[in-house]
Amino acid sequence: MNADFSDAQWVALSFVFLGIALLVGTLVRRYAGFLRALYIPVSVIAGFLILLLGPQVLGALTGTAGIMPAPIADVLSRLPGLMINIVFAGVMLGKRLPSVRTFWRESAPHFILGSVFSFGQFALGALAVAFVLKPFFGLPDAAGSILELSFAGGHGTIAGMGEILNSAGAPEVVDIGLGLATISMITGVVGGSILVNYAIRSPRISVARTAHVHPARDAEHFVAPNSGDTNPADIGLGSISRSFGAIALAIALGLLILELLRFGANALGSALFDDFPLFPFTVIGGFVVQLLLSATGKEELVERRTVNDITTLALDILIAAAIGTMSLAALGANVPSLIILTVIAFAWSVVGMLWLGPRIHRVDWFEHAVADYGQSQGNVATGFILADMADPDRTTAAARAYGYKQLTYEPILGGGVLTALSVPIILQIGSAWFGLASLIVTAGLILWGILRGRRTGPPGG
């Protein structure tokens, strides 16, 4: 390929390369029924296609760079850390903000259980790193929060933490995290499907769905097309352009917040925020933008479905690029750590859901708790998929309450500010102390959830 291309042309060609990979991934998924049955996203398939056809597999076998020139590989490796800002900036946009009373009443159990899952992952992962994986398998101490980063956070969170982990001298943690995030997609959907089928067949669990689950059913087939513009033509901008502008403003506000924090920390002689990622603050920026739209009565200017279209594209690019450029050498050198961490994360989510679910979610507990399980093992979308598998007609409030949860949970955990702060904290105090502190917080959250549940409803109603 022409080596005289400018940097901008290589960036453009990289997006062409990604677009083709996503189309080919769509064809692979269409004709590989088992991938549809497992709800494996096209972006994951495209990522593995890029990985197989790139320098690490095809290139290694043929003594070439594969079909991916080095400049494209370089661009793809940088995209995840950029795309995650778009994804998180759109979390709050286009959503009508409920009253505080309604919001907390419905979302509190989800927030508590989701926080229990996240802090439990912090605790178990950090203690495993400190006492098993570091001394016996050489995993860096900086990997103490890798379970929450990978399972509750996902590919985007791991990619967004790349700079700070590289600065800490632990770049392999990023590749291990990407591997775990990919595994979590499978454990989330497959494990969740097993749990739903178990609940349907169990006489001790009441589930809204009475028919058997059909795992080959594709959730995206039931998404309505984009509603397009619903505003007068004299606005001068189409729906996508308005939503793009709102996302850009949210990112700009997030950058302003981060720069102010850096300035304040540096003034106090601290470098805490120098390598801190931007994406947690773009959620706050999005909330401010949506708050302004609501306060001025202009909510209709930014449509949620259009925001979803933009952030979904960014997430597809992020996942495909992250998987396509992760280091197979780093994964191969840390197989025992991958296995141990996967078993810990999966067991914690299953036990937490079945034991804590009916104690924290007192009404229609399974439909609610299975959504939180899905998010702890994959991402927000996995939780919605599992909630719809348990309650396809949405006769319970599970989907709505789970959606409300994201307004408080996402800015804090699962890729939020506390998730991003976990690595700097570990670098300061070590994984052992971080794990112990997280264990205490987990116990406190469990106690809060159980006591609150006893006051708000019948057990497992």
Side-chain angles (χ1 to χ4, degrees):
M1 189 170 287
N2 190 344
D4 294 330
F5 286 144
S6 67
D7 290 344
Q9 288 172 321
W10 279 118
V11 171
L13 282 172
S14 299
F15 280 97
V16 171
F17 188 87
L18 274 170
I20 294 173
L22 289 168
L23 286 176
V24 175
T26 303
L27 293 175
V28 171
R29 189 178 188 272
R30 178 174 182 178
Y31 293 105
F34 72 97
L35 295 175
R36 295 197 308 275
L38 293 175
Y39 293 97
I40 302 299
V42 168
S43 55
V44 172
I45 301 170
F48 278 106
L49 289 174
I50 294 171
L51 188 65
L52 292 173
L53 298 176
Q56 295 190 77
V57 179
L58 181 61
L61 294 175
T62 61
T64 66
I67 66 169
M68 184 167 60
I72 290 181
D74 183 56
V75 172
L76 295 188
S77 68
R78 299 170 188 268
L79 283 178
L82 299 174
M83 293 294 111
I84 186 59
N85 296 309
I86 297 175
V87 174
F88 273 70
V91 168
M92 298 290 192
L93 291 173
K95 294 181 176 179
R96 181 176 295 276
L97 301 176
S99 68
V100 174
R101 181 184 179 89
T102 299
F103 161 76
W104 183 245
R105 183 182 67 248
E106 296 202 13
S107 70
H110 284 280
F111 174 80
I112 295 171
L113 185 55
S115 299
V116 167
F117 281 140
S118 283
F119 275 100
Q121 288 174 349
F122 278 145
L124 295 172
L127 295 175
V129 167
F131 297 111
V132 179
L133 301 179
K134 180 183 176 182
F136 294 103
F137 300 105
L139 198 66
D141 198 56
S145 60
I146 194 171
L147 274 190
E148 211 271 348
L149 289 171
S150 305
F151 279 79
H155 293 89
T157 302
I158 284 290
M161 297 299 294
E163 185 174 349
I164 193 170
L165 288 168
N166 288 332
S167 298
E172 68 272 30
V173 174
V174 178
D175 296 305
I176 296 169
L178 291 173
L180 288 171
T182 303
I183 292 170
S184 75
M185 287 186 167
I186 300 172
T187 57
V189 175
V190 174
S193 298
I194 293 172
L195 286 168
V196 171
N197 278 279
Y198 165 75
I200 289 172
R201 291 168 173 78
S202 173
R204 295 180 291 107
I205 301 176
S206 175
V207 185
R209 181 175 195 141
T210 56
H212 292 301
V213 175
H214 301 289
R217 176 181 176 183
D218 286 338
E220 64 262 30
H221 290 171
F222 296 85
V223 176
N226 195 311
S227 56
D229 285 338
T230 58
N231 302 286
D234 61 0
I235 286 179
L237 275 180
S239 178
I240 293 177
S241 299
R242 293 195 304 272
S243 297
F244 175 75
I247 289 172
L249 182 56
I251 293 174
L253 289 173
L255 184 58
L256 176 62
I257 294 169
L258 180 56
E259 288 300 323
L260 289 173
L261 288 172
R262 285 173 176 167
F263 177 79
N266 291 336
L268 296 173
S270 172
L272 175 63
F273 292 101
D274 284 5
D275 295 318
F276 204 82
L278 170 63
F279 67 87
F281 301 105
T282 65
V283 181
I284 301 173
F287 176 79
V288 172
V289 172
Q290 186 60 40
L291 198 62
L292 290 173
L293 290 170
S294 298
T296 57
K298 301 295 184 181
E299 288 180 333
E300 75 279 359
L301 292 178
V302 179
E303 298 178 357
R304 182 62 200 169
R305 185 169 297 279
T306 309
V307 171
N308 280 344
D309 288 344
I310 296 172
T311 57
T312 298
L313 173 61
L315 186 61
D316 286 339
I317 291 172
L318 184 160
I319 293 173
I323 293 176
T325 57
M326 66 181 176
S327 171
L328 292 178
L331 293 179
N334 291 278
V335 170
S337 296
L338 284 167
I339 294 173
I340 292 171
L341 289 168
T342 298
V343 171
I344 291 173
F346 181 66
W348 168 240
S349 291
V350 172
V351 172
M353 178 197 159
L354 294 179
W355 185 68
L356 290 173
R359 290 168 171 81
I360 294 177
H361 291 290
R362 305 291 277 189
V363 177
D364 301 320
W365 76 266
F366 185 86
E367 292 84 351
H368 287 269
V370 78
D372 294 326
Y373 162 88
Q375 188 167 13
S376 76
Q377 284 288 297
N379 50 44
V380 177
T382 303
F384 276 116
I385 288 172
L386 296 179
D388 280 347
M389 289 175 69
D391 181 18
D393 296 325
R394 298 201 172 182
T395 56
T396 71
R400 183 178 68 250
Y402 175 67
Y404 284 167
K405 165 195 175 182
Q406 309 312 319
L407 297 176
T408 50
Y409 175 84
E410 285 287 349
I412 301 171
L413 295 162
V417 174
L418 282 183
T419 297
L421 276 171
S422 65
V423 175
I425 292 172
I426 287 170
L427 294 176
Q428 291 294 319
I429 67 174
S431 283
W433 285 109
F434 178 78
L436 180 60
S438 298
L439 190 62
I440 294 171
V441 174
T442 303
L445 287 167
I446 290 173
L447 181 61
W448 178 27
I450 292 176
L451 292 177
R452 185 183 185 281
R454 288 176 178 172
R455 295 195 304 267
T456 57

